Amino acid sequence: IITNEKTKNRFCNKKYNLLVYDDVRSQTSCNKPSIHFQKNDLACVIYTTGSSDTPKGVSFSHSNLSNFVQIAQDAIRYRSDDRCLFSSAVTFVVVIRQILVPLAVGAQVIIADSEHLANPHQFFCLIKTEQVTTMDIVPSYWRVIMDWLSAVRVETRVDLLNNKLRQIVSGGELLLSDLPQRWAREFQHPAQIINVLGQTETTGIVSNNRLSFQIEETIKPLPIGKPNKKTKIFVLNSGLNPVGKDEIGEILISSPCVALGYFKKMKL
């Protein structure tokens, strides 16, 4: 556990290895701690949102995390010179995609706090002043900030959108076609839009669709794209047989990122 001098006493009766941040800063050098683990050992537990049921703790192995970092790099195409916006809560699985994956390729992470997220003007100012290149956002919030952009003075809108954004990742909710069309047509912003599908139980995204804009009047859900590398997605019926075209089925996912199981419902 990484802690500081002020809070370390909370863990004095626990069987944890403590790394006191204040002590490390005061040293000119620090030896690496001796840590031994297997790839299938538990790395962390992150809870689902509980949108359809009671929140459940999903247990991730070190292998889940390392595989996801590699796979997501390819799906979202992060670059070492990227500056990626972290706009999620640390309790959500999105933290893996918004922090670990960019850092793994040498990119920088820019943190948007609650004030930035509550105020669209501050949000876009942060993107511009910090030269953010990748934004990861849910469609409902994207719609809110686009409505705000539409309502402000033209000069303000043009100034804020004169930024370094090169790609926008949309995930966590159904993406309707009017949002990317509006971004391209009304605001004429060149950022690439990537629609992704993911679950807590799969450590994050399992498919991606890099959108090309086709202006249509009909509003419709956008495809989730093709499976990521090392990932297979099946749409099956109740008998676990593939469904036909236009038939409804359940999505089943095969991937090295599928988590160990639900916390307290698995053997560790």
Side-chain angles (χ1 to χ4, degrees):
I1 293 181
I2 301 175
T3 183
N4 56 29
E5 191 69 33
K6 183 178 179 180
T7 60
K8 70 176 184 180
N9 290 334
R10 297 183 186 180
F11 310 103
C12 61
N13 296 323
K14 307 292 183 180
K15 295 181 179 179
Y16 300 134
N17 293 323
L18 296 186
L19 181 63
V20 181
Y21 180 68
D22 309 75
D23 295 342
V24 174
R25 290 189 63 186
S26 64
Q27 299 174 12
T28 56
S29 64
C30 179
N31 294 326
K32 293 182 179 180
S34 179
I35 301 175
H36 303 282
F37 61 87
Q38 301 297 317
K39 65 178 184 179
N40 290 324
D41 287 347
L42 181 66
C44 65
V45 176
I46 298 179
Y47 278 77
T48 62
T49 59
S51 57
S52 60
D53 197 358
T54 304
K56 297 180 287 291
V58 179
S59 302
F60 300 101
S61 68
H62 289 274
S63 179
N64 292 149
L65 298 183
S66 62
N67 273 290
F68 182 77
V69 166
Q70 296 174 54
I71 291 171
Q73 285 176 22
D74 178 76
I76 303 179
R77 302 179 189 175
Y78 289 109
R79 304 188 313 215
S80 61
D81 61 346
D82 273 329
R83 294 171 65 84
C84 305
L85 190 67
F86 173 63
S87 56
S88 175
V90 295
T91 52
F92 292 162
V93 73
V94 180
V95 69
I96 300 173
R97 182 167 84 237
Q98 292 189 1
I99 290 186
L100 290 188
V101 180
L103 293 180
V105 299
Q108 297 182 56
V109 175
I110 308 301
I111 298 175
D113 60 27
S114 57
E115 292 183 3
H116 294 123
L117 297 174
N119 187 320
H121 186 260
Q122 290 191 33
F123 183 78
F124 281 109
C125 282
L126 177 70
I127 289 173
K128 181 172 182 176
T129 57
E130 293 295 337
Q131 300 184 18
V132 171
T133 60
T134 297
M135 176 173 72
D136 196 328
I137 197 168
V138 294
S140 56
Y141 184 68
W142 193 14
R143 189 177 297 278
V144 168
I145 61 176
M146 277 203 285
D147 288 343
W148 179 86
L149 277 175
S150 294
V152 300
R153 294 174 54 192
V154 174
E155 296 83 358
T156 301
R157 179 166 63 247
V158 171
D159 178 62
L160 292 175
L161 291 178
N162 182 23
N163 54 41
K164 299 292 186 179
L165 267 181
R166 70 177 187 87
Q167 57 183 9
I168 299 173
V169 181
S170 174
E173 298 171 356
L174 183 69
L175 177 61
L176 297 177
S177 58
D178 65 315
L179 281 179
Q181 288 182 15
R182 184 180 175 189
W183 185 259
R185 181 168 54 181
E186 181 179 344
F187 304 121
Q188 299 182 348
H189 197 281
Q192 168 76 69
I193 311 301
I194 310 170
N195 188 28
V196 300
L197 171 72
Q199 306 80 20
T200 305
E201 290 85 350
T202 56
T203 320
I205 61 173
V206 295
S207 71
N208 70 92
N209 181 18
R210 305 184 75 85
L211 302 177
S212 57
F213 297 109
Q214 296 179 346
I215 304 302
E216 301 176 4
E217 296 303 322
T218 304
I219 299 177
K220 58 185 180 181
L222 291 174
I224 59 174
K226 296 182 179 180
N228 297 337
K229 284 186 176 181
K230 301 182 182 180
T231 303
K232 294 181 180 180
I233 298 178
F234 307 90
V235 183
L236 308 179
N237 60 24
S238 58
L240 298 183
N241 295 311
V243 300
K245 185 178 180 180
D246 296 328
E247 291 184 47
I248 296 176
E250 295 283 345
I251 291 180
L252 276 76
I253 298 164
S254 171
S255 165
C257 301
V258 173
L260 296 172
Y262 293 118
F263 189 55
K264 293 186 178 180
K265 293 186 178 180
M266 52 177 285
K267 295 181 179 179
L268 297 177

